[in-house]
Each structure stands twice: as C-alpha cells, then as structure tokens.
Amino acid sequence: MKCHIINQSKEKKYKEFYPLIRKYFKQTFKTLELTGNYEISLILVDPERIHEINREYRGIDRETDVISFAEIDGENEFDFEEEREENNVNNQESV
C-alpha cells in the first residue's frame, strides 16, 4: 500500500492534517480489504489550478471542490508523475 499527500497549494497549514489523512487512507484500505500493490494519491491545489484541470481534462470551465481520477492497469488520463515534475513538487509525503 502506498499513500501520497502532495501539497501544490500556497497553503502550508494543510501539513497539520497529514496524520489524519494518513489515518483515513489506511482505514479505507482496511475496510475495503485491499492488500497488495495499491496506491492512492491526494494532491492539494489552489482554486486556479483545479479550474485549469477541470477545463483541460473534463471540459468544465470552472473550479470544483474535488476531482478524482481512477487509474486502472497503469492507464490514466491525468498523469500524476508529469504533474509532480511540472510543478517541482517538493512538499510530498508518503505513508
């Protein structure tokens, strides 16, 4: 099980919530009885960035509170690795 929390927003206060987020990740995996090679990522972004992602990947020209992307067998419309590299993400924690 791999869990990633990536903060691309300007807000640094989110870091105080990382332990709680990790707890929910772990509980979710346990409740769903997921074992093996599973991964979940949470990327925190500013409203402007979520607006851009909505427009580019969903054809929605506005911000929303949440966007989710499923990855099945390594195929995904949204490239998380590319997103991390493009934004030089240094504020990443894994559990």
XYZ file of all heavy atoms in Angstrom:
813
model
N 0.839 -1.173 0.000
C 0.000 0.000 0.000
C 0.887 1.239 0.000
O 1.779 1.367 0.814
C -0.892 0.008 1.235
C -1.633 1.301 1.425
S -2.684 1.349 2.876
C -1.492 1.789 4.120
N 0.629 2.116 -0.935
C 1.338 3.387 -0.993
C 0.319 4.510 -0.941
O -0.673 4.478 -1.656
C 2.155 3.502 -2.273
C 3.300 2.545 -2.375
C 4.055 2.765 -3.665
C 5.169 1.759 -3.802
N 5.888 1.926 -5.062
N 0.589 5.489 -0.081
C -0.271 6.656 0.040
C 0.600 7.892 -0.081
O 1.619 7.996 0.596
C -0.992 6.673 1.377
S -2.053 5.255 1.653
N 0.187 8.821 -0.938
C 0.951 10.045 -1.145
C 0.073 11.259 -0.880
O -1.083 11.297 -1.300
C 1.469 10.134 -2.588
C 2.233 8.940 -3.021
N 3.543 8.732 -2.669
C 1.871 7.874 -3.768
C 3.963 7.603 -3.192
N 2.958 7.055 -3.854
N 0.639 12.230 -0.186
C -0.026 13.518 0.021
C 0.896 14.557 -0.608
O 2.055 14.687 -0.217
C -0.228 13.832 1.513
C -1.031 12.714 2.184
C -0.919 15.187 1.674
C -1.044 12.799 3.694
N 0.373 15.274 -1.583
C 1.179 16.244 -2.323
C 0.499 17.605 -2.223
O -0.638 17.757 -2.638
C 1.308 15.816 -3.804
C 1.886 14.414 -3.889
C 2.145 16.829 -4.581
C 1.581 13.708 -5.177
N 1.185 18.570 -1.656
C 0.606 19.897 -1.489
C 1.197 20.839 -2.538
O 2.337 21.257 -2.443
C 0.885 20.438 -0.088
C 0.189 21.754 0.165
O -0.509 22.283 -0.696
N 0.373 22.298 1.339
N 0.388 21.169 -3.548
C 0.802 22.118 -4.578
C 0.157 23.482 -4.352
O 0.307 24.374 -5.169
C 0.419 21.601 -5.965
C 1.162 20.368 -6.370
C 0.782 19.900 -7.751
O -0.129 20.437 -8.380
N 1.467 18.894 -8.234
N -0.557 23.620 -3.260
C -1.221 24.893 -2.985
C -0.272 25.835 -2.254
O 0.802 25.446 -1.816
C -2.465 24.657 -2.131
O -2.104 24.391 -0.796
N -0.707 27.059 -2.140
C 0.072 28.062 -1.410
C -0.108 27.905 0.100
O 0.669 28.432 0.870
C -0.339 29.461 -1.847
C -0.032 29.743 -3.307
C -0.559 31.109 -3.729
C -0.356 31.281 -5.217
N -1.614 31.261 -5.952
N -1.148 27.191 0.487
C -1.453 26.993 1.908
C -0.521 25.943 2.502
O -0.452 24.829 2.028
C -2.900 26.533 2.091
C -3.918 27.566 1.746
C -3.988 28.692 2.762
O -3.608 28.495 3.926
O -4.438 29.784 2.373
N 0.160 26.301 3.552
C 1.058 25.353 4.215
C 0.409 24.749 5.457
O 0.918 23.794 6.009
C 2.379 26.040 4.602
C 3.120 26.599 3.406
C 3.371 25.548 2.348
C 3.987 26.131 1.103
N 3.872 25.269 -0.056
N -0.741 25.294 5.875
C -1.399 24.799 7.077
C -1.922 23.370 6.924
O -2.201 22.706 7.903
C -2.541 25.732 7.490
C -3.691 25.771 6.504
C -4.774 26.729 6.952
C -5.893 26.755 5.925
N -6.916 27.708 6.274
N -2.060 22.899 5.671
C -2.575 21.548 5.448
C -1.700 20.481 6.083
O -2.170 19.409 6.419
C -2.722 21.260 3.952
C -3.769 22.104 3.266
C -3.469 22.777 2.095
C -5.052 22.222 3.781
C -4.432 23.558 1.451
C -6.011 22.993 3.151
C -5.690 23.655 1.991
O -6.635 24.410 1.365
N -0.430 20.766 6.245
C 0.507 19.775 6.778
C 0.042 19.242 8.137
O 0.266 18.083 8.456
C 1.904 20.368 6.867
C 2.959 19.340 7.076
C 4.329 19.920 6.811
C 5.340 18.808 6.899
N 6.186 18.701 5.779
N -0.621 20.067 8.917
C -1.096 19.622 10.225
C -2.169 18.534 10.105
O -2.418 17.797 11.052
C -1.620 20.793 11.057
C -2.893 21.416 10.507
C -3.316 22.676 11.239
O -2.679 23.729 11.002
O -4.265 22.598 12.041
N -2.798 18.421 8.925
C -3.831 17.415 8.717
C -3.291 16.099 8.145
O -4.027 15.128 8.012
C -4.933 17.952 7.797
C -5.664 19.117 8.378
C -5.440 20.401 7.907
C -6.575 18.944 9.409
C -6.108 21.487 8.443
C -7.252 20.021 9.956
C -7.013 21.303 9.476
N -2.016 16.056 7.780
C -1.443 14.850 7.172
C -1.653 13.594 8.022
O -2.032 12.555 7.485
C 0.035 15.040 6.862
C 0.345 15.951 5.683
C -0.658 16.663 5.016
C 1.643 16.097 5.236
C -0.368 17.490 3.949
C 1.941 16.925 4.158
C 0.939 17.617 3.524
O 1.235 18.426 2.467
N -1.431 13.637 9.340
C -1.664 12.416 10.131
C -3.109 11.918 10.044
O -3.342 10.710 9.933
C -1.305 12.838 11.563
C -0.342 13.961 11.386
C -0.827 14.694 10.157
N -4.065 12.823 10.063
C -5.466 12.436 9.959
C -5.773 11.863 8.575
O -6.481 10.858 8.438
C -6.366 13.641 10.242
C -7.871 13.386 10.242
C -8.252 12.375 11.317
C -8.617 14.697 10.479
N -5.221 12.478 7.542
C -5.419 11.984 6.176
C -4.838 10.581 6.043
O -5.470 9.684 5.482
C -4.794 12.948 5.145
C -5.544 14.289 5.153
C -4.800 12.332 3.750
C -4.827 15.398 4.393
N -3.623 10.380 6.577
C -2.999 9.049 6.530
C -3.878 8.009 7.236
O -4.039 6.893 6.755
C -1.623 9.073 7.186
C -0.547 9.593 6.327
C 0.813 9.273 6.972
N 1.747 10.307 6.650
C 1.925 11.434 7.334
N 1.233 11.680 8.412
N 2.805 12.315 6.946
N -4.443 8.401 8.377
C -5.313 7.503 9.130
C -6.506 7.078 8.277
O -6.873 5.904 8.223
C -5.784 8.196 10.409
C -6.741 7.381 11.236
C -7.196 8.167 12.462
C -8.284 7.419 13.196
N -8.790 8.187 14.338
N -7.140 8.044 7.583
C -8.285 7.728 6.726
C -7.879 6.857 5.535
O -8.611 5.952 5.145
C -8.994 8.994 6.259
C -9.820 9.636 7.332
C -9.605 10.947 7.707
C -10.824 8.925 7.990
C -10.367 11.548 8.711
C -11.585 9.507 8.989
C -11.348 10.813 9.341
O -12.099 11.392 10.327
N -6.720 7.139 4.955
C -6.218 6.285 3.872
C -6.100 4.838 4.357
O -6.597 3.911 3.729
C -4.835 6.745 3.401
C -4.822 7.917 2.455
C -3.615 8.538 2.172
C -5.952 8.386 1.833
C -3.551 9.599 1.295
C -5.905 9.455 0.953
C -4.693 10.064 0.683
N -5.415 4.648 5.469
C -5.187 3.298 6.000
C -6.495 2.604 6.347
O -6.670 1.428 6.057
C -4.268 3.358 7.222
C -2.845 3.702 6.868
C -1.976 3.795 8.103
C -0.561 4.177 7.729
N 0.306 4.283 8.913
N -7.419 3.335 6.964
C -8.709 2.754 7.324
C -9.503 2.363 6.083
O -10.168 1.334 6.059
C -9.516 3.712 8.200
C -10.810 3.108 8.718
C -10.580 1.869 9.564
O -9.722 1.849 10.429
N -11.342 0.824 9.302
N -9.431 3.177 5.048
C -10.125 2.867 3.796
C -9.593 1.578 3.187
O -10.358 0.700 2.785
C -9.983 4.035 2.790
O -10.570 5.203 3.364
C -10.663 3.709 1.469
N -8.266 1.437 3.140
C -7.666 0.216 2.613
C -8.100 -0.995 3.448
O -8.432 -2.045 2.904
C -6.141 0.321 2.600
C -5.584 1.026 1.401
C -5.585 2.413 1.325
C -5.062 0.315 0.341
C -5.067 3.065 0.225
C -4.539 0.954 -0.771
C -4.549 2.342 -0.826
N -8.115 -0.829 4.770
C -8.510 -1.918 5.663
C -9.973 -2.283 5.464
O -10.324 -3.458 5.337
C -8.247 -1.511 7.110
C -8.546 -2.588 8.110
C -8.209 -2.124 9.520
C -8.567 -3.200 10.524
N -8.265 -2.782 11.898
N -10.868 -1.279 5.435
C -12.301 -1.514 5.278
C -12.615 -2.221 3.962
O -13.452 -3.116 3.903
C -13.080 -0.182 5.356
O -12.832 0.412 6.634
C -14.568 -0.394 5.169
N -11.917 -1.810 2.899
C -12.141 -2.418 1.580
C -11.360 -3.716 1.396
O -11.433 -4.341 0.338
C -11.757 -1.423 0.478
C -12.612 -0.158 0.414
C -12.049 0.805 -0.632
C -14.062 -0.488 0.113
N -10.609 -4.095 2.445
C -9.793 -5.311 2.418
C -8.844 -5.328 1.229
O -8.687 -6.338 0.542
C -10.684 -6.552 2.452
C -11.524 -6.638 3.708
C -12.439 -7.841 3.747
O -12.504 -8.614 2.764
O -13.110 -8.010 4.781
N -8.231 -4.184 0.979
C -7.282 -4.071 -0.119
C -5.892 -4.461 0.370
O -5.364 -3.871 1.300
C -7.250 -2.637 -0.659
C -8.552 -2.111 -1.248
C -8.399 -0.650 -1.645
C -8.979 -2.945 -2.444
N -5.347 -5.458 -0.249
C -3.977 -5.864 0.052
C -3.242 -5.949 -1.274
O -3.845 -6.036 -2.335
C -3.933 -7.229 0.761
O -4.573 -8.196 -0.078
C -4.628 -7.179 2.114
N -1.961 -5.897 -1.216
C -1.204 -5.987 -2.455
C -0.704 -4.633 -2.904
O -0.464 -3.739 -2.110
N -0.600 -4.475 -4.201
C 0.037 -3.309 -4.795
C -0.989 -2.235 -5.155
O -1.319 -2.048 -6.317
C 0.823 -3.745 -6.040
C 1.734 -2.659 -6.541
O 2.106 -1.759 -5.814
N 2.081 -2.745 -7.804
N -1.498 -1.547 -4.139
C -2.444 -0.455 -4.351
C -1.787 0.865 -4.001
O -0.906 0.927 -3.147
C -3.700 -0.633 -3.493
C -4.594 -1.738 -3.975
C -4.493 -3.018 -3.453
C -5.528 -1.490 -4.958
C -5.317 -4.039 -3.902
C -6.354 -2.500 -5.414
C -6.248 -3.772 -4.883
O -7.059 -4.773 -5.335
N -2.253 1.930 -4.650
C -1.692 3.248 -4.405
C -2.803 4.283 -4.448
O -3.726 4.193 -5.259
C -0.657 3.564 -5.482
C 0.074 4.853 -5.269
C 1.241 5.024 -6.223
O 1.761 4.020 -6.744
O 1.623 6.177 -6.444
N -2.704 5.278 -3.552
C -3.643 6.392 -3.540
C -2.845 7.678 -3.371
O -1.874 7.715 -2.620
C -4.712 6.245 -2.426
C -5.781 7.330 -2.540
C -4.073 6.204 -1.051
C -6.998 7.098 -1.661
N -3.239 8.699 -4.121
C -2.563 9.992 -4.031
C -3.601 11.076 -3.802
O -4.677 11.060 -4.400
C -1.798 10.306 -5.315
O -0.781 9.367 -5.541
N -3.255 12.012 -2.942
C -4.074 13.188 -2.705
C -3.216 14.386 -3.061
O -2.142 14.580 -2.500
C -4.496 13.270 -1.234
C -5.223 14.541 -0.817
C -6.592 14.626 -1.501
C -5.383 14.579 0.690
N -3.679 15.160 -4.039
C -2.944 16.351 -4.462
C -3.792 17.567 -4.101
O -4.923 17.702 -4.558
C -2.647 16.328 -5.977
C -1.858 15.072 -6.345
C -1.884 17.588 -6.373
C -1.625 14.898 -7.833
N -3.233 18.425 -3.266
C -3.919 19.646 -2.847
C -3.482 20.772 -3.764
O -2.284 21.014 -3.924
C -3.552 19.970 -1.396
C -3.842 18.845 -0.396
C -3.150 19.115 0.925
C -5.333 18.677 -0.201
N -4.455 21.439 -4.393
C -4.138 22.510 -5.332
C -4.969 23.750 -5.017
O -5.962 23.683 -4.301
C -4.387 22.087 -6.802
C -3.491 20.933 -7.201
C -5.837 21.743 -7.042
N -4.559 24.869 -5.585
C -5.293 26.120 -5.446
C -6.498 26.123 -6.389
O -6.533 25.365 -7.365
C -4.386 27.300 -5.791
C -3.261 27.469 -4.787
O -3.511 27.297 -3.585
O -2.137 27.768 -5.218
N -7.495 26.985 -6.127
C -8.675 27.055 -6.996
C -8.331 27.292 -8.470
O -8.975 26.725 -9.348
C -9.473 28.234 -6.424
C -9.088 28.286 -4.992
C -7.625 27.884 -4.969
N -7.306 28.102 -8.734
C -6.931 28.385 -10.124
C -6.470 27.109 -10.830
O -6.812 26.871 -11.991
C -5.816 29.430 -10.180
C -6.192 30.779 -9.618
C -6.079 30.867 -8.102
O -5.425 29.997 -7.463
O -6.663 31.800 -7.545
N -5.697 26.277 -10.126
C -5.185 25.046 -10.738
C -6.299 24.029 -10.947
O -6.347 23.359 -11.973
C -4.064 24.446 -9.878
C -3.477 23.189 -10.462
C -2.789 23.447 -11.794
N -2.316 22.195 -12.373
C -2.577 21.796 -13.604
N -3.248 22.553 -14.437
N -2.140 20.639 -14.039
N -7.210 23.910 -9.995
C -8.306 22.950 -10.166
C -9.208 23.385 -11.324
O -9.737 22.559 -12.065
C -9.094 22.719 -8.860
C -9.751 21.341 -8.881
C -10.124 23.788 -8.605
C -10.215 20.859 -7.544
N -9.339 24.703 -11.535
C -10.079 25.231 -12.677
C -9.399 24.794 -13.975
O -10.053 24.325 -14.914
C -10.160 26.752 -12.576
C -11.020 27.400 -13.602
N -11.476 28.682 -13.471
C -11.518 26.976 -14.797
C -12.213 28.997 -14.533
N -12.238 27.977 -15.347
N -8.079 24.939 -14.047
C -7.320 24.527 -15.241
C -7.482 23.037 -15.517
O -7.688 22.624 -16.659
C -5.835 24.824 -15.058
C -5.467 26.275 -15.055
C -4.004 26.490 -14.672
O -3.229 25.505 -14.646
O -3.636 27.642 -14.386
N -7.378 22.211 -14.461
C -7.510 20.757 -14.620
C -8.914 20.412 -15.106
O -9.081 19.579 -16.004
C -7.184 20.036 -13.295
C -5.710 20.228 -12.944
C -7.540 18.563 -13.386
C -5.349 19.803 -11.529
N -9.934 21.035 -14.517
C -11.312 20.798 -14.955
C -11.490 21.127 -16.433
O -12.102 20.364 -17.185
C -12.295 21.645 -14.134
C -12.802 20.929 -12.917
O -12.991 19.727 -12.928
N -13.015 21.678 -11.854
N -10.960 22.275 -16.839
C -11.107 22.709 -18.233
C -10.380 21.749 -19.179
O -10.933 21.320 -20.190
C -10.571 24.136 -18.389
C -10.839 24.743 -19.749
C -10.462 26.220 -19.861
N -9.162 26.525 -19.283
C -8.971 27.338 -18.226
N -9.981 27.941 -17.644
N -7.761 27.558 -17.768
N -9.167 21.382 -18.823
C -8.350 20.543 -19.700
C -8.825 19.093 -19.780
O -8.888 18.511 -20.857
C -6.899 20.567 -19.219
C -5.951 19.794 -20.116
C -4.504 19.935 -19.692
O -4.179 20.854 -18.912
O -3.693 19.113 -20.142
N -9.159 18.492 -18.650
C -9.460 17.061 -18.627
C -10.944 16.725 -18.606
O -11.329 15.617 -18.943
C -8.782 16.395 -17.427
C -7.290 16.383 -17.545
C -6.522 17.379 -16.970
C -6.632 15.389 -18.264
C -5.145 17.387 -17.083
C -5.260 15.382 -18.391
C -4.520 16.378 -17.794
O -3.162 16.377 -17.928
N -11.799 17.683 -18.204
C -13.207 17.383 -18.059
C -14.113 18.277 -18.882
O -15.324 18.074 -18.920
C -13.600 17.479 -16.578
C -12.789 16.513 -15.715
C -13.109 16.630 -14.238
N -14.498 16.235 -14.015
C -15.287 16.848 -13.147
N -14.882 17.878 -12.449
N -16.516 16.434 -12.980
N -13.538 19.305 -19.527
C -14.337 20.214 -20.331
C -15.270 21.082 -19.503
O -16.281 21.569 -20.001
N -14.933 21.294 -18.228
C -15.737 22.119 -17.329
C -14.944 23.387 -17.035
O -13.839 23.319 -16.499
C -16.056 21.364 -16.020
C -16.891 20.117 -16.333
C -16.766 22.277 -15.028
C -17.096 19.206 -15.139
N -15.497 24.533 -17.381
C -14.755 25.790 -17.263
C -15.058 26.498 -15.938
O -15.543 27.624 -15.903
C -15.079 26.700 -18.448
C -14.111 27.870 -18.557
O -13.007 27.786 -17.974
O -14.457 28.863 -19.208
N -14.772 25.803 -14.843
C -14.935 26.373 -13.503
C -14.191 25.496 -12.504
O -13.828 24.365 -12.793
C -16.396 26.483 -13.114
C -17.119 25.155 -13.032
C -18.588 25.340 -12.649
N -19.325 24.099 -12.783
C -19.355 23.132 -11.864
N -18.691 23.247 -10.745
N -20.051 22.030 -12.079
N -13.991 26.045 -11.328
C -13.372 25.252 -10.274
C -14.428 24.401 -9.586
O -15.621 24.723 -9.616
C -12.674 26.149 -9.258
C -13.626 27.027 -8.467
C -12.907 27.992 -7.567
O -12.196 28.865 -8.072
O -13.091 27.876 -6.348
N -14.001 23.309 -9.016
C -14.851 22.451 -8.202
C -14.091 22.143 -6.920
O -12.892 22.416 -6.820
C -15.194 21.133 -8.930
O -13.984 20.494 -9.334
C -16.078 21.388 -10.139
N -14.768 21.580 -5.947
C -14.114 21.254 -4.683
C -13.200 20.041 -4.797
O -12.162 19.976 -4.155
C -15.152 20.971 -3.593
C -15.927 22.225 -3.203
O -15.393 23.336 -3.386
O -17.058 22.088 -2.716
N -13.611 19.073 -5.612
C -12.893 17.802 -5.692
C -12.883 17.306 -7.131
O -13.861 17.464 -7.849
C -13.582 16.723 -4.811
C -12.916 15.375 -4.969
C -13.613 17.143 -3.358
N -11.777 16.701 -7.515
C -11.692 15.971 -8.786
C -11.071 14.621 -8.450
O -10.121 14.551 -7.677
C -10.779 16.663 -9.813
C -11.267 18.059 -10.130
C -10.689 15.846 -11.090
C -10.343 18.805 -11.071
N -11.589 13.572 -9.028
C -10.975 12.261 -8.818
C -10.719 11.612 -10.165
O -11.484 11.789 -11.118
C -11.874 11.374 -7.956
O -13.098 11.120 -8.610
N -9.626 10.901 -10.243
C -9.248 10.164 -11.435
C -8.931 8.741 -11.029
O -8.158 8.518 -10.103
C -8.001 10.771 -12.102
C -8.224 12.138 -12.677
C -7.978 13.270 -11.915
C -8.673 12.299 -13.968
C -8.175 14.540 -12.428
C -8.883 13.559 -14.496
C -8.627 14.678 -13.723
N -9.512 7.781 -11.722
C -9.207 6.377 -11.464
C -8.106 5.929 -12.406
O -8.062 6.329 -13.562
C -10.455 5.528 -11.680
N -7.239 5.106 -11.890
C -6.191 4.537 -12.720
C -6.378 3.031 -12.704
O -6.424 2.417 -11.645
C -4.810 4.884 -12.171
C -3.709 4.351 -13.034
C -2.344 4.838 -12.589
O -2.250 5.896 -11.979
O -1.379 4.122 -12.869
N -6.505 2.458 -13.871
C -6.686 1.017 -13.985
C -5.574 0.465 -14.864
O -5.380 0.913 -15.989
C -8.071 0.675 -14.584
C -9.166 1.248 -13.684
C -8.217 -0.818 -14.777
C -10.548 1.142 -14.252
N -4.838 -0.480 -14.318
C -3.735 -1.112 -15.047
C -2.756 -0.095 -15.607
O -2.284 -0.220 -16.735
C -4.276 -2.000 -16.181
C -5.072 -3.170 -15.641
O -4.747 -3.635 -14.530
O -5.996 -3.619 -16.326
N -2.481 0.936 -14.832
C -1.466 1.904 -15.223
C -1.891 2.917 -16.259
O -1.105 3.752 -16.670
N -3.144 2.878 -16.710
C -3.606 3.845 -17.697
C -4.471 4.885 -17.006
O -5.360 4.564 -16.248
C -4.408 3.145 -18.795
C -3.539 2.224 -19.625
C -4.298 1.648 -20.800
O -5.324 2.220 -21.196
O -3.840 0.625 -21.314
N -4.178 6.141 -17.281
C -4.884 7.220 -16.618
C -4.841 8.450 -17.512
O -3.810 8.755 -18.081
C -4.202 7.509 -15.280
C -4.956 8.510 -14.449
O -5.780 9.261 -14.945
N -4.661 8.526 -13.175
N -5.958 9.146 -17.633
C -5.973 10.372 -18.431
C -5.107 11.452 -17.798
O -4.500 12.250 -18.475
C -7.403 10.900 -18.546
C -8.302 10.068 -19.422
C -9.685 10.683 -19.511
O -9.849 11.862 -19.175
O -10.600 9.970 -19.913
N -5.083 11.489 -16.483
C -4.337 12.511 -15.760
C -3.005 11.921 -15.321
O -2.964 10.928 -14.605
C -5.132 12.980 -14.540
C -4.522 14.150 -13.831
C -4.692 15.425 -14.330
C -3.791 13.976 -12.683
C -4.141 16.517 -13.676
C -3.237 15.058 -12.026
C -3.411 16.333 -12.525
N -1.916 12.497 -15.747
C -0.596 11.963 -15.458
C -0.041 12.600 -14.187
O 0.480 13.701 -14.204
C 0.344 12.222 -16.644
C 1.665 11.517 -16.497
O 2.036 11.145 -15.366
O 2.332 11.329 -17.523
N -0.136 11.873 -13.068
C 0.307 12.401 -11.787
C 1.815 12.625 -11.759
O 2.292 13.596 -11.194
C -0.084 11.465 -10.643
C -1.562 11.410 -10.429
C -2.296 10.305 -10.827
C -2.232 12.464 -9.836
C -3.661 10.256 -10.636
C -3.596 12.430 -9.638
C -4.311 11.318 -10.041
N 2.575 11.717 -12.356
C 4.032 11.876 -12.378
C 4.413 13.145 -13.133
O 5.249 13.919 -12.698
C 4.712 10.652 -13.012
C 4.575 9.392 -12.205
C 5.187 9.501 -10.816
O 6.247 10.153 -10.659
O 4.598 8.957 -9.872
N 3.782 13.366 -14.269
C 4.053 14.569 -15.054
C 3.659 15.816 -14.268
O 4.373 16.809 -14.249
C 3.281 14.513 -16.371
C 3.525 15.707 -17.266
C 2.745 15.593 -18.571
O 2.806 14.533 -19.214
O 2.073 16.579 -18.914
N 2.528 15.746 -13.576
C 2.057 16.874 -12.765
C 3.074 17.208 -11.672
O 3.390 18.358 -11.435
C 0.698 16.532 -12.143
C 0.088 17.639 -11.330
C -0.436 18.791 -12.154
O -0.538 18.686 -13.382
O -0.736 19.834 -11.559
N 3.611 16.198 -11.024
C 4.606 16.425 -9.975
C 5.860 17.061 -10.546
O 6.413 17.998 -9.990
C 4.965 15.118 -9.279
C 3.924 14.677 -8.291
C 4.406 13.510 -7.517
N 4.050 12.291 -8.199
C 3.676 11.182 -7.598
N 3.643 11.114 -6.292
N 3.351 10.122 -8.274
N 6.329 16.536 -11.676
C 7.551 17.058 -12.299
C 7.354 18.490 -12.785
O 8.213 19.341 -12.583
C 7.971 16.169 -13.462
C 8.489 14.812 -13.012
C 8.721 13.875 -14.177
O 8.717 14.335 -15.336
O 8.897 12.675 -13.926
N 6.228 18.773 -13.433
C 5.973 20.104 -13.972
C 5.907 21.158 -12.879
O 6.264 22.305 -13.079
C 4.666 20.116 -14.767
C 4.776 19.468 -16.121
C 3.454 19.506 -16.868
O 2.471 20.093 -16.352
O 3.398 18.936 -17.959
N 5.430 20.778 -11.719
C 5.259 21.732 -10.632
C 6.376 21.660 -9.605
O 6.273 22.263 -8.542
C 3.899 21.530 -9.969
C 2.772 21.940 -10.877
O 2.542 23.113 -11.078
N 2.095 20.967 -11.472
N 7.432 20.902 -9.911
C 8.565 20.763 -8.992
C 8.103 20.537 -7.564
O 8.448 21.271 -6.648
C 9.464 22.010 -9.058
C 10.080 22.174 -10.406
O 10.550 21.203 -11.007
N 10.105 23.387 -10.906
N 7.317 19.511 -7.394
C 6.713 19.255 -6.096
C 7.760 18.740 -5.125
O 8.366 17.696 -5.329
C 5.565 18.230 -6.211
C 5.035 17.881 -4.848
C 4.488 18.771 -7.094
N 8.009 19.520 -4.086
C 8.944 19.125 -3.047
C 8.199 18.796 -1.762
O 8.762 18.209 -0.866
C 9.944 20.256 -2.769
C 10.818 20.519 -3.972
O 11.236 19.600 -4.659
N 11.083 21.780 -4.239
N 6.958 19.196 -1.676
C 6.189 19.009 -0.445
C 5.344 17.753 -0.577
O 4.139 17.807 -0.662
C 5.309 20.249 -0.198
C 4.763 20.250 1.204
O 5.091 19.391 2.002
N 3.927 21.218 1.479
N 6.004 16.601 -0.587
C 5.312 15.331 -0.760
C 5.659 14.426 0.402
O 6.810 14.343 0.812
C 5.731 14.670 -2.069
C 5.148 13.291 -2.244
C 5.530 12.672 -3.562
O 5.949 13.333 -4.480
N 5.400 11.367 -3.634
N 4.661 13.748 0.926
C 4.883 12.786 1.985
C 4.204 11.486 1.593
O 3.140 11.481 1.018
C 4.306 13.278 3.306
C 5.024 14.495 3.822
C 4.750 14.734 5.292
O 4.103 13.899 5.936
O 5.217 15.756 5.779
N 4.858 10.382 1.897
C 4.292 9.072 1.635
C 4.119 8.341 2.949
O 4.841 8.575 3.911
C 5.219 8.255 0.727
O 5.360 8.898 -0.502
N 3.124 7.451 2.970
C 2.897 6.628 4.157
C 2.913 5.174 3.753
O 2.794 4.834 2.622
C 1.556 6.969 4.856
C 1.621 8.335 5.459
C 0.399 6.838 3.940
